[in-house]
């Protein structure tokens, strides 16, 4: 008769835990210059996505306000990278400079995420677990459902678009919230090249992403709409 530990050892949950450990070990070995260079490449590659078409050209991708008809900037939910995560700092600055409304997460005591607008690196404040969070007005849990694109942290993704996170459950809640709201937002995970795998362990609650961006290019799991919206 197997013990609980032995059962977990062969389960998808146990496989996820071991894969996370291995991937984090590789990340910890990366030198700072590689992490920094990755951030510049990720910014460039992410802005090549159809969902960001013309962001930096001045031709869009504004969408009309339903009440006034006036053009409004797109909204992107993103995050501030920490440690040896693929750096998001250059991307955040380029999005903000292009007039994109960028939402960043604020971690709550129960590991859920609410959101606030990114107003520049100088307005970020230190929080628990080494996080940097926006210091402005908090917009609540549901603010993420306003996003046109949601940029997700992760440790890996597979060819089905199934993402492996860190295991805290914060983004599982975000993805479930988007699903309940029938959000059309594009889901994009930012990774290193070697973190696109053939398969990652999956559980019933896991939801696929639309694309992964790595320094070498974009990996599509679903075809975007023709207008990139």
């Amino acid at each position: 008769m197997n013990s609980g530990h032995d059962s977990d050892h062969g389960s998808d949950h146990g496989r996820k835990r071991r894969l996370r450990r291995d991937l984090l070990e590789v990340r910890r070995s990366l030198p700072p210059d590689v992490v920094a260079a990755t951030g510049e490449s990720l910014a460039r590659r992410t802005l090549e996505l159809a969902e960001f078409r013309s962001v930096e050209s001045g031709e869009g991708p504004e969408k009309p306000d339903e009440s006034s008809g006036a053009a409004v900037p797109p909204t992107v939910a993103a995050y501030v990278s920490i440690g040896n995560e693929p750096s998001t700092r250059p991307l955040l600055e380029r999005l903000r400079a292009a007039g994109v409304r960028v939402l960043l997460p604020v971690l709550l005591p129960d590991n859920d995420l609410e959101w606030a607008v990114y107003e520049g690196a100088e307005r970020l404040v230190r929080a628990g677990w080494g996080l940097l969070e926006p210091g402005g007005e908090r917009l609540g849990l549901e603010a993420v459902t306003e996003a046109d694109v949601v940029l997700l942290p992760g440790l890996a993704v597979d060819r089905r678009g199934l993402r492996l996170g860190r295991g805290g459950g914060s983004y599982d809640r975000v993805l479930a919230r988007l699903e309940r709201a029938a959000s059309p937002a594009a889901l994009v995970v930012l990774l290193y090249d070697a973190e696109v795998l053939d398969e990652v362990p999956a559980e019933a609650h896991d939801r696929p992403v639309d694309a992964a961006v790595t320094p070498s290019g974009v990996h599509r799991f679903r075809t975007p709409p023709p207008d990139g919206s």
Side-chain angles (χ1 to χ4, degrees):
M1 181 174 174
N2 289 335
S3 68
H5 177 79
D6 289 337
S7 175
D8 181 67
H9 184 78
S11 69
D12 286 327
H13 182 77
R15 290 170 60 212
K16 280 185 173 182
R17 186 175 60 190
R18 294 191 299 277
L19 183 56
R20 287 187 186 105
R21 179 194 62 207
D22 293 344
L23 291 165
L24 285 168
E25 185 175 343
V26 172
R27 281 191 177 183
R28 282 192 290 268
S29 71
L30 296 173
D33 59 325
V34 170
V35 177
T38 294
E40 296 294 339
S41 298
L42 278 182
R44 183 176 68 255
R45 295 295 190 182
T46 301
L47 290 170
E48 291 173 357
L49 288 167
E51 290 84 355
F52 289 104
R53 187 177 293 126
S54 302
V55 160
E56 295 187 300
S57 70
E59 300 173 0
E62 290 87 354
K63 55 186 180 180
D65 181 86
E66 292 183 359
S67 58
S68 67
V72 296
T75 295
V76 174
Y79 62 97
V80 183
S81 57
I82 60 171
N84 275 15
E85 287 183 330
S87 178
T88 62
R89 308 298 181 87
L91 176 59
L92 293 176
E93 286 306 312
R94 288 176 68 171
L95 289 172
R96 182 168 174 264
V100 174
R101 180 173 179 253
V102 179
L103 300 179
L104 296 180
V106 177
L107 184 66
L108 298 177
D110 66 353
N111 272 0
D112 210 341
L113 299 175
E114 61 178 343
W115 302 83
V117 173
Y118 178 56
E119 298 176 321
E122 69 281 359
R123 297 294 303 275
L124 296 173
V125 297
R126 294 204 170 274
W129 302 101
L131 299 173
L132 287 171
E133 298 177 342
E137 178 187 1
R138 297 187 181 187
L139 305 177
L141 301 173
E142 300 295 327
V144 69
T145 63
E146 302 170 10
D148 302 291
V149 179
V150 179
L151 301 177
L152 302 162
L155 293 174
V157 72
D158 71 14
R159 302 298 177 181
R160 301 167 293 176
L162 291 175
R163 163 187 159 272
L164 179 70
R166 284 181 173 265
S170 298
Y171 278 91
D172 289 334
R173 298 188 198 187
V174 170
L175 295 175
R177 191 165 288 126
L178 291 168
E179 186 172 71
R180 287 195 300 271
S183 167
L187 307 177
V188 181
V189 61
L190 306 179
L191 299 168
Y192 293 101
D193 289 317
E195 294 169 345
V196 179
L197 309 178
D198 288 334
E199 184 178 1
V200 300
E203 298 176 89
H205 64 268
D206 291 327
R207 292 167 172 79
V209 299
D210 298 294
V213 179
T214 72
S216 67
V218 173
H219 304 261
R220 277 281 177 192
F221 310 113
R222 299 182 189 176
T223 303
D227 63 357
S229 63

